[in-house]
Structure formats: C-alpha cells, structure tokens
Amino acid sequence: MADLQERKIKDAQMRATINQKLVETGERERLKELLRTRLIECGWRDQLKAHCKEIVKHKGLEHITVDDLVSEITPKGRALVPDNVKKELLQRIRTFLAQQSNV
Amino acid sequence: MTMSGCEHIQEYKATHGTRPFRAIHTFFIACSSADARERKVPAKSSLCHSCHTYGGRLHACLYCIYFGCYGAKHIQNHAETTGHNLAVDMTYGTVYCFWCNDYVYDADFEEIARKQCQKSDTSLGLKTKFFPWEPNELETELLRQNPKRRKVESRSSVGLRGLINLGNTCFMNCIVQSLIHTPVLRDFFLADQHICHLPPVNAKQCLVCEIARLFQEFYSGNSAPHIPYRLLHLVWTNARHLAGYEQQDAHEFLIAALDILHRHCKGPNGLNHGDNPHHCNCIIDQIFTGGLQSDVTCQQCKNVSTTIDPIWDISLDLGPGPPPSNGSNSSPSSNYSNSPGTYEPTSLVECLKRFTKPEHLGSSAKIKCGSCQSYQESTKQLTMKKLPIVACFHLKRFEHSTGYHKKISTFVSFPEELDMTPFMSSSRNNNNGYVNQIIQESTKSLSCENNITDIGCWKIFLVCCGQPQWYYRSRSLYMLHIFLVCCGQQQWYYRSWLLYMLHIFLVCCGQPQWYYRSWSLYLLHIYDLQIFLVCCGQPKWSYRSWSFNLLHIFLVCCGQPQWYYRSWSLYLLHIFLGCCGQPQWYYRSWSLYLLHIFLVCCGQPHRYSLFVVVNHSGTIEVGCYTCTCYIYSLVAVVNHSGTIEVGHYTCYIYSLFAVVNHSGTIEVGHYTCYIRQHKDQWFKCDDHMISKAMSSEVLNSEGCMNMRNVFAVLPQADFRVWMTIVEA
C-alpha cells in the first residue's frame, strides 16, 4: 500500500520535473505546435468542430455553456486522436528526454 | 464572436489598463523571452497555488497574483471569496468573466495576445501558426449578397462534369479530367493563386487563366457536359503539332500542355523563368517536376559521372527485354549481366525495376571517361533523385518503328499505392546491391516496438561530396555497422563490431588492399593494438593504440582529406572528422543514445552545430544545438553529388488518383480515364459520360498512363516542402 503511494508520488514528481524541463527549453510549445499541425492534417479538428456544432444544436444556443462543451467533447476528442499521431509525439518526447539525460 | 467583451472587462480596463494582462501573457502564456524561459519563470511558477499541480486548466487572476485550476474549482473559489471576477486561461490566453459565466473576448486583449504569440513563435523558431480563413470586408459583402450555400460532402459529385468530344479530342478530355482532379493543382486554382502576367489585351491567350476558368466551370455545380472549345483553340495555337482533328497521343498532349502552362505561368517575358528549370517556381514545376539521376560508371576507373535531368513524367518501356537485376545476384564488382531469354514486365513495379537497373552500354558505345581520360565501356543507371509531388507514369504502349506501328496490349498491373523508395538515388550504391541489402534488413528490424533502453536500429547515411562517402549504420547496442566508403578513391569499410568482436574491413580500391578481419578483444591484442595503414602513393594513414576501453585512431591523409578518430570508449565515441578544403565534418561525443554531429561547411558563412538524433522510423532529426530549436522531422540525406539535403521527411509512397486508358488499335482507338474523387470514389470519364466505377475495375484496366499523388500516409509526410540547405 505504502509502496503504491510512494510510487504515485514519485511518478507525480517525475511528471512535474519533465514538464518543467519541457517548458524551460521551449520544447513544450514546439510539441504543442507539432500536435496542432498533425491534428489539423488528419482532420481531427474538423471532426471535433462538427461534433461541437451538433452539441450546440442539440442543447440550444441560448443554454450552452463552456463547461458543457468541454465535458462533452473531451472524451470524444481524446478517443479520436489517431494512433500514429500519439506515437510520433511520444517518440519526440523520448528523444527530448534522451537528449536531456545526456546534457 | 463579438470582440467588445463585457461591461466587466470594460470596467477593469478603465481601472487597471491592459498591463497586468500583458505581463501575465508575456511571462506565462506565450513566453517570448528566452531569458525568462531559462530562468524557469513559467516552468517553476505555473502551478496552482492551492494544489500545486500544473494540469487542470490553470487560470491566472487578473486582479491579484493567484493561479488556480479550473477543474478542481480553485479559481472559482478564489473568485467567490475575493470578488476578483476576471481570470485568464493560461493555456490559451482567453479571459473568463465569472459574473458573465463565460469566456469574453475583448479586442484589445486579443490583439495583445496575438502579438505575443507571434513573438513567442519567432523566438522558438516556429513558423507562423495556422489560422483558418476569415473573410475580409469585400468577401463578407459578397457572401451576404449570395446567400445560397453548397456543402461538399464526401458523397457529393461536385467537380465532376463530362467533356464533349469535339472530334477525336478524347485524348485531351482525359488529360483535362486528370488535371482537374489533381489535388494540389485543384487547390492552387480554387484558391485563386494564379496571377496572370500577360497584358490585358492578351488575357485570352493565357492557358493558365483558361484552366482556372475550367475549374470554375467544373465546380459550378452544373452537371451538364462542358464544351472545352476555348481550351482546344488555345492548345492548337500554342502547340501546332497537336492541331487538327486526328487522334493524338494523350501523353504527348500532357507534356505539351504542361509545357505551355509552365511558360504561361511566368508570362511572356519569362520573369524568373530562365533556362534553368531548377529555378522555376511556377506551380507546374513545383508539382510535376522530378529529378532523374543518370549515373554513368566507367568500367576502367570506376569513376561515376552523374547528371540530373528534370522530368515531368516517367516513361516506362514495355515489351520483352532483359530482366531487372536484384541485389542478391550481383557481386560487388561485377555489373549487371545480360541474361538470355526474354522477360516481359507485367506490373508497374517490374517496369520500374527494369527502368532503374544498371545497363551495360556495350563496346559500341564507349564514352570518354573524364577521370581516366580514355574511351571505356561503361554502365549507366537511372534512379529517381527527386520525386515530384504528382508523379505521372507513362507506359509506352505505342511502338513506332520503321515500317510499323504497334500497340503493346499486355496487361500491366499497378497497385493503388506505390512505394518509390527502392527506386530512389539514395537507395542506390556504387557497389550495387550491398547497401541496398542492408537497408532492407534494417527496415525489417525497425518494426519492433521500442522503448528508451532498446535503441534497436539506427540508420544514418552520410555521404560526403564527390569525395569520400560515409555510411554509418548502427544495429544495436552491441553491434555497430559503420560503412565508410570512399568513392572513386580509397574505399573503406567498417563492419559489425561487437563489444567482443570487431570486424574491420579496410579496402583500398585499385591500390594495394588492406583487410583486417575478425579480431575479438580476446584474441590478438586485447589491450594494445597498433595498426598502421599506409595507403600507397600519397596519404599516410596510421592507427594507434587502442585498448579494450579506449580506441585511438588517427587517420591522417596528407594533402587530402584528413580524418581523425579519437578516444572512444564503450560508452562514448568521439570522432573527429576533418576534411580539409572541403566541407568539414565533425562527429562528436556520441553515446549509445545520441549522436552529435557538428557540420561545418568551410568557406561558407554557415556554421551549424547541430545534433542529430536518428530514430526508429528512419528519420534523422536535426536540431540546432546553440539555439536549442528543433528543425522538425528533417531528414539529412547527404548524397553522391555532395550536397546535403535537409528536407522534411518525405514519404515516398504514392497513391493513385487517375488512370488514362486507350482502347482499340493504334489507328482507331479511344481514350477514357478513371479518376478518383474524394478519398475512395472512382469515376470513369468517357468524354461526356461520367459513371461510377469500382476500384477493382480501375486496377484491372489496361492503363497506359497513370498519375499518382504523394499521399500523406504517414503523418510525418509534409510533401509541400523540400529544402536544400547545405551545398558542398
């Protein structure tokens, strides 16, 4: 039990450190840009836009809130990301980390 | 989306101005100052003040210094308790008003955000962001005046129209249909990218404008067949040899049409045209031009003379002929040999193989070799140096010999997706086949899943201009293949060394040969190995003192390229390579994970300290060390002619979108074509009749010409750009 907790804490710490490094070097912004480009290319943005429009139509323009939209499209958005995009980004992050561990 | 914000924002601006927003944006949201970024201002401080996490849609309060996450309601609580109703989303820079309960957009804030983002992007070395199209005033007015909208869905037939046959013009109709459905060309014309340079009095003479008008006709929604009489007239006036009512050859028409379009793209004065097709920037050249590399190898001295010709299409021979060679049956030094018996290719890939095989020019066709100055027999090999975005394959079905004209009707199958990698110049090697084999092996082993400790297979091809060629290939943590090939002159091969076993082949071609073979660290000299290599005549080469842990190799070539190898341990390899007088190459400190390459091109102003990471997909990523910006997914391919081309990783896989068929005999025949609409719908265009077709029907058709588009199969493929950065 304690082990699990410890590991969780360590994981969170590791995540925070990685995130810091990514922001420091500006890598995070670049990765975001790359992700944006890829998602536009593969049509993800358009798909999700269409889905948003549907939700707005469904709920009515007067009653829709940002929170509504966010809660509805987040799971769909996550599910629709194609595998190769995920792989590519993962590869980049790995590359970045490898480079960091050496420098 | 109204940009006037809400009254709360206006109040806020009246009291606080825009400075706090600007400050938050500059430091945390789109950090444009490298200094601030380094001081870890955003990194360390972008945390929720309540729960110290960095995820969850952080918002920054505009009234006081507080960051809170949205998901866990920290920022909402803060707003309630303090009454600070405005907060900025730190991911996107948009302002949330808690009293309006919505994101509000204020023109001033948006302008600040936009400028900041631009600054930040430039400082990171990113290109300008993609913004979807928004109409300007004139366009908005036009849209209001024309309220009818047509939605193009995946099943719509917009863009399909028949073309009336004006008297044996089926050849023209087919080519026009194919061009209309060429994706990149279509995008160009529908985006109004053509600016006519002809003077207004000659405006009707411009073929490019006519094609633009044709696009408008096709996409107008009118489904009646179109009568392309103006187009025909323009073609006749510009290409006299095609005028008349006889049946013409579709391929000839294509080339003539592309030529006329190319000329008209730049106007009558030929701005930017020049004679050199390489420098032309018109859309036709950008899309259709590829580079065909022709290497002629002198049999005597093995000197290779290379020429690269721009081509618009690839014409493939059909009919019986010698079979294509494959890597396994050629020995390193022999050339392709004519084997007896005829062989008829029955697929496009086989045609291409035959096209790119080395051809032995017989004794009746001796050429004067530039380097050994004598008339020698030679072999010639064609490969693709640069692939066009749209490749057009022409199967030469019509044979015109003295006395007879024949049509070859053998069925040639073609795939829906075609991988051109084996036919590229980069896949080819002087010693034919050997490196090709390695490439094939490595691509098999690249398919394994990877994690950070299993580096798997690296593939690095580095070729140094005109002079020594270098290939590096590393297999695993334990096995390192380095091929150092020095073309024309001394050849060097390094191969497969394990921690335990080291094979080094040093071959000096033409001159005394030196071989080192199979010595392990347990055999021979474990701790101290001295190798002296002397290359006859000139360069002096010496190997020195390498121990189990450390390997010093000094290669000094006097007067000529100098090569130094130094101090590599099991973990770290320092290789200094200096090539004097020519581009200098330095390899430094490459660990098992990372390869740092400093490329210095001497004599030029460029000095790159780049690091190169080779990853599993075969791409090499080149990043600039000094400014820590990444040049994304670049492939650094250094090729035989000595240039390094740093380009976006281009997928060499083509996807079929148009097939032109000729039915009948050479005297009396008819052209029809199949074109692909949207992603997977095929239509048969028979002059004015358009009918739906199955893809199986397309693939089984005779096909005398097919056009393919580079299709972004892999997401890394960005086929729009191919930059040549460093030139030797």
Side-chain angles (χ1 to χ4, degrees):
Chain A
M1 232 356 235
D3 269 346
L4 202 60
Q5 288 282 34
E6 240 188 73
R7 213 178 323 148
K8 277 200 183 151
I9 296 175
K10 278 222 176 96
D11 261 346
Q13 274 177 356
M14 165 101 101
R15 282 221 186 96
T17 324
I18 296 181
N19 187 59
Q20 256 183 46
K21 267 267 173 278
L22 283 169
V23 177
E24 254 170 58
T25 51
E27 185 65 15
R28 192 155 198 264
E29 298 308 316
R30 287 186 211 111
L31 287 173
K32 265 216 279 194
E33 224 11 72
L34 177 67
L35 180 60
R36 258 191 211 119
T37 316
R38 293 284 173 252
L39 289 175
I40 292 175
E41 272 172 12
C42 71
W44 178 91
R45 187 191 238 217
D46 300 319
Q47 272 180 303
L48 229 53
K49 210 171 174 193
H51 193 231
C52 276
K53 286 194 182 151
E54 272 176 43
I55 299 176
V56 172
K57 256 197 231 161
H58 193 251
K59 285 248 162 79
L61 195 54
E62 305 308 319
H63 307 290
I64 196 81
T65 62
V66 178
D67 293 334
D68 277 343
L69 276 175
V70 171
S71 60
E72 290 237 21
I73 56 175
T74 306
K76 181 135 201 241
R78 281 194 212 272
L80 282 175
V81 178
D83 275 339
N84 45 21
V85 176
K86 286 191 194 157
K87 261 197 204 150
E88 185 183 355
L89 264 125
L90 206 57
Q91 180 61 40
R92 272 222 200 286
I93 297 175
R94 277 201 199 121
T95 309
F96 171 76
L97 289 176
Q99 172 214 340
Q100 288 304 309
S101 69
N102 239 39
V103 164
Chain B
M1 178 168 93
T2 125
M3 289 287 219
S4 52
C6 62
E7 66 241 18
H8 312 115
I9 278 206
Q10 304 307 329
E11 266 176 49
Y12 174 86
K13 276 204 288 186
T15 48
H16 294 82
T18 55
R19 231 144 145 261
F21 175 82
R22 192 194 291 271
I24 297 179
H25 207 285
T26 315
F27 282 102
F28 298 102
I29 299 177
C31 191
S32 52
S33 124
D35 181 48
R37 217 185 300 129
E38 260 170 53
R39 279 187 292 119
K40 310 190 189 187
V41 170
K44 287 232 158 95
S45 325
S46 291
L47 299 171
C48 172
H49 286 194
S50 307
C51 64
H52 304 287
T53 57
Y54 60 86
R57 285 169 71 198
L58 271 185
H59 283 67
C61 176
L62 274 180
Y63 288 91
C64 66
I65 300 181
Y66 179 83
F67 295 162
C69 34
Y70 192 93
K73 303 241 183 276
H74 295 145
I75 190 75
Q76 285 92 327
N77 291 339
H78 174 81
E80 268 181 47
T81 49
T82 57
H84 296 168
N85 62 313
L86 292 172
V88 190
D89 183 331
M90 291 174 67
T91 324
Y92 300 103
T94 44
V95 180
Y96 193 89
C97 175
F98 287 95
W99 288 341
C100 301
N101 249 326
D102 199 4
Y103 282 99
V104 282
Y105 301 95
D106 177 77
D108 290 331
F109 284 165
E110 290 301 308
E111 185 56 28
I112 296 175
R114 199 184 56 85
K115 283 219 182 87
Q116 264 312 113
C117 283
Q118 250 180 24
K119 257 200 244 165
S120 145
D121 282 344
T122 348
S123 86
L124 283 171
L126 294 171
K127 305 186 275 198
T128 45
K129 276 203 180 65
F130 164 76
F131 284 109
W133 172 81
E134 299 235 345
N136 60 23
E137 274 182 37
L138 174 62
E139 284 162 356
T140 321
E141 195 47 46
L142 283 171
L143 284 169
R144 265 196 219 112
Q145 285 171 10
N146 298 285
K148 185 161 170 218
R149 302 277 177 267
R150 186 196 347 262
K151 188 166 179 197
V152 181
E153 280 167 348
S154 57
R155 299 280 146 189
S156 77
S157 61
V158 162
L160 283 174
R161 271 185 91 171
L163 289 167
I164 298 279
N165 188 324
L166 296 167
N168 274 331
T169 57
C170 52
F171 68 96
M172 183 178 86
N173 290 345
C174 289
I175 299 296
V176 170
Q177 291 281 6
S178 306
L179 287 177
I180 298 283
H181 287 90
T182 304
V184 188
L185 202 64
R186 180 195 62 205
D187 294 342
F188 175 82
F189 279 104
L190 288 179
D192 280 336
Q193 295 287 311
H194 169 63
I195 304 163
C196 198
H197 291 285
L198 288 177
V201 67
N202 288 341
K204 292 278 164 114
Q205 302 295 319
C206 176
L207 189 65
V208 194
C209 287
E210 185 56 37
I211 297 282
R213 279 189 281 269
L214 210 61
F215 270 99
Q216 294 298 318
E217 286 287 342
F218 267 74
Y219 282 88
S220 62
N222 185 351
S223 56
H226 175 67
I227 310 171
Y229 65 92
R230 256 203 311 259
L231 179 71
L232 188 65
H233 178 74
L234 275 175
V235 168
W236 281 1
T237 43
N238 283 294
R240 292 290 156 84
H241 61 284
L242 289 175
Y245 281 107
E246 306 158 351
Q247 175 74 271
Q248 303 285 352
D249 185 39
H251 175 248
E252 243 188 271
F253 175 77
L254 175 70
I255 299 298
L258 290 178
D259 184 52
I260 304 170
L261 287 170
H262 164 71
R263 274 187 279 136
H264 285 188
C265 271
K266 287 303 171 184
N269 304 324
L271 312 151
N272 297 347
H273 185 156
D275 302 279
N276 188 349
H278 285 295
H279 293 304
C280 181
N281 217 9
C282 69
I283 186 69
I284 301 295
D285 273 337
Q286 277 183 52
I287 299 178
F288 290 99
T289 306
L292 185 67
Q293 178 167 319
S294 157
D295 297 298
V296 177
T297 312
C298 168
Q299 287 311 99
Q300 175 70 12
C301 62
K302 303 291 174 197
N303 175 254
V304 182
S305 99
T306 307
T307 45
I308 300 175
D309 294 308
I311 50 162
W312 273 332
D313 71 326
I314 303 171
S315 288
L316 301 168
D317 286 310
L318 294 179
S325 72
N326 30 33
S328 51
N329 63 12
S330 340
S331 52
S333 56
S334 82
N335 307 304
Y336 160 76
S337 55
N338 282 302
S339 49
T342 58
Y343 164 83
E344 212 167 329
T346 49
S347 77
L348 185 64
V349 175
E350 283 176 11
C351 285
L352 281 167
K353 275 194 195 154
R354 193 161 78 168
F355 184 71
T356 53
K357 70 162 171 41
E359 186 191 329
H360 190 88
L361 304 173
S363 47
S364 54
K366 285 190 183 170
I367 51 134
K368 184 165 187 198
C369 170
S371 83
C372 62
Q373 302 295 322
S374 57
Y375 282 94
Q376 296 294 338
E377 290 188 9
S378 51
T379 51
K380 175 171 158 183
Q381 188 176 21
L382 295 170
T383 44
M384 289 305 294
K385 170 81 168 96
K386 173 189 168 236
L387 286 176
I389 290 179
V390 175
C392 180
F393 294 97
H394 172 226
L395 302 172
K396 290 166 151 174
R397 289 197 178 279
F398 299 135
E399 229 178 78
H400 301 280
S401 289
T402 48
Y404 76 101
H405 304 283
K406 190 173 86 143
K407 176 180 172 187
I408 302 171
S409 290
T410 7
F411 174 70
V412 178
S413 72
F414 41 88
E416 216 165 338
E417 271 174 24
L418 172 69
D419 189 355
M420 288 291 285
T421 321
F423 310 112
M424 300 294 295
S425 305
S426 45
S427 306
R428 176 201 166 258
N429 180 287
N430 256 355
N431 300 325
N432 84 21
Y434 194 59
V435 174
N436 281 341
Q437 281 180 341
I438 303 297
I439 295 177
Q440 279 148 32
E441 278 169 45
S442 74
T443 40
K444 281 191 220 138
S445 48
L446 278 178
S447 59
C448 54
E449 247 325 285
N450 51 74
N451 58 56
I452 202 167
T453 54
D454 169 34
I455 295 302
C457 202
W458 291 2
K459 196 169 34 165
I460 310 178
F461 291 102
L462 297 157
V463 175
C464 180
C465 77
Q467 312 289 326
Q469 286 172 332
W470 310 81
Y471 300 93
Y472 273 76
R473 230 198 112 220
S474 77
R475 258 259 184 102
S476 67
L477 296 179
Y478 299 113
M479 200 178 276
L480 186 70
H481 291 253
I482 304 181
F483 289 100
L484 295 167
V485 177
C486 183
C487 89
Q489 309 295 323
Q490 296 88 31
Q491 283 174 331
W492 310 82
Y493 300 92
Y494 277 78
R495 259 205 77 199
S496 62
W497 90 68
L498 308 163
L499 296 179
Y500 302 110
M501 195 173 281
L502 188 67
H503 295 255
I504 303 183
F505 290 102
L506 295 164
V507 176
C508 185
C509 94
Q511 311 293 328
Q513 288 170 330
W514 310 81
Y515 299 93
Y516 278 78
R517 274 201 64 198
S518 59
W519 84 73
S520 70
L521 295 166
Y522 295 110
L523 257 43
L524 296 185
H525 314 275
I526 295 177
Y527 294 107
D528 203 354
L529 185 68
Q530 284 175 316
I531 308 173
F532 291 95
L533 292 168
V534 177
C535 184
C536 80
Q538 319 235 345
K540 292 190 280 215
W541 313 83
S542 50
Y543 274 79
R544 277 197 62 207
S545 59
W546 117 52
S547 70
F548 183 83
N549 289 318
L550 218 60
L551 181 71
H552 292 264
I553 305 179
F554 289 103
L555 294 167
V556 178
C557 183
C558 71
Q560 299 293 320
Q562 288 169 328
W563 316 93
Y564 304 93
Y565 279 77
R566 268 199 71 203
S567 61
W568 112 57
S569 68
L570 294 180
Y571 296 110
L572 215 61
L573 181 69
H574 291 261
I575 306 180
F576 289 101
L577 297 167
C579 184
C580 71
Q582 302 292 325
Q584 289 169 328
W585 312 82
Y586 300 94
Y587 282 78
R588 264 203 72 203
S589 59
W590 123 48
S591 69
L592 297 174
Y593 297 103
L594 206 67
L595 181 70
H596 292 258
I597 304 181
F598 290 99
L599 296 169
V600 176
C601 189
C602 79
Q604 304 287 327
H606 322 284
R607 191 180 185 101
Y608 300 95
S609 65
L610 299 173
F611 63 84
V612 173
V613 174
V614 184
N615 49 35
H616 292 267
S617 58
T619 52
I620 303 175
E621 272 149 23
V622 179
C624 180
Y625 218 30
T626 45
C627 63
T628 62
C629 67
Y630 251 146
I631 313 168
Y632 280 120
S633 342
L634 285 186
V635 175
V637 172
V638 188
N639 43 38
H640 292 257
S641 66
T643 51
I644 307 177
E645 276 169 81
V646 184
H648 286 265
Y649 175 70
T650 306
C651 173
Y652 294 143
I653 300 183
Y654 278 105
S655 173
L656 184 66
F657 75 92
V659 181
V660 174
N661 288 317
H662 180 266
S663 50
T665 61
I666 202 169
E667 295 87 13
V668 177
H670 181 58
Y671 279 101
T672 54
C673 70
Y674 289 98
I675 44 124
R676 190 173 81 184
Q677 173 93 323
H678 305 297
K679 267 196 180 162
D680 54 359
Q681 291 178 57
W682 287 91
F683 289 89
K684 178 170 180 179
C685 302
D686 183 353
D687 286 334
H688 55 275
M689 291 197 303
I690 310 280
S691 52
K692 195 131 185 358
M694 302 294 293
S695 65
S696 50
E697 191 186 322
V698 177
L699 295 177
N700 285 331
S701 66
E702 209 177 62
C704 59
M705 260 176 69
N706 52 55
M707 289 171 80
R708 289 157 183 278
N709 183 38
V710 176
F711 185 63
V713 174
L714 302 176
Q716 292 100 315
D718 179 358
F719 52 77
R720 278 173 255 264
V721 179
W722 179 256
M723 316 180 286
T724 308
I725 290 186
V726 181
E727 280 230 15

